[in-house]
Amino acid sequence: HPQTMRRVYKHRRKVECRFGNLACTPGLLTSLPKFVRGLPRVRRFVGAKVCLYHSHRMAKGLAPMTV
């Protein structure tokens, strides 16, 4: 899927910046708890944390970040 990879690479810096923000914000993406093992649980856990991050931004009156 070369076309997909070109799009991903084009947005790489923005993606890394967003995940950096998520990882550095207290209570968001820190180390995974012991019960979050296996890809389906990791996806749900990270998805929930991303939703919480955007909800927090909206509550503070900030625009949700886009990639």
Side-chain angles (χ1 to χ4, degrees), residues 3-16:
Q3 192 175 28
T4 302
M5 290 309 298
R6 274 188 237 116
R7 280 190 309 203
V8 168
Y9 190 73
K10 179 181 174 184
H11 296 291
R12 180 180 173 193
R13 178 171 278 152
K14 287 181 183 178
V15 170
E16 288 179 356

Side-chain angles (χ1 to χ4, degrees), residues 10-62:
K10 179 181 174 184
H11 296 291
R12 180 180 173 193
R13 178 171 278 152
K14 287 181 183 178
V15 170
E16 288 179 356
C17 180
R18 300 306 180 250
F19 275 106
N21 288 339
L22 289 170
C24 292
T25 303
L28 287 180
L29 286 180
T30 56
S31 59
L32 295 174
K34 290 182 181 184
F35 65 88
V36 181
R37 295 295 179 254
L39 187 55
R41 286 185 179 182
V42 170
R43 284 182 175 158
R44 283 194 302 267
F45 183 81
V46 172
K49 290 292 190 164
V50 169
C51 289
L52 288 172
Y53 174 72
H54 286 291
S55 298
H56 176 72
R57 286 185 58 83
M58 290 172 63
K60 289 178 72 176
L62 302 171

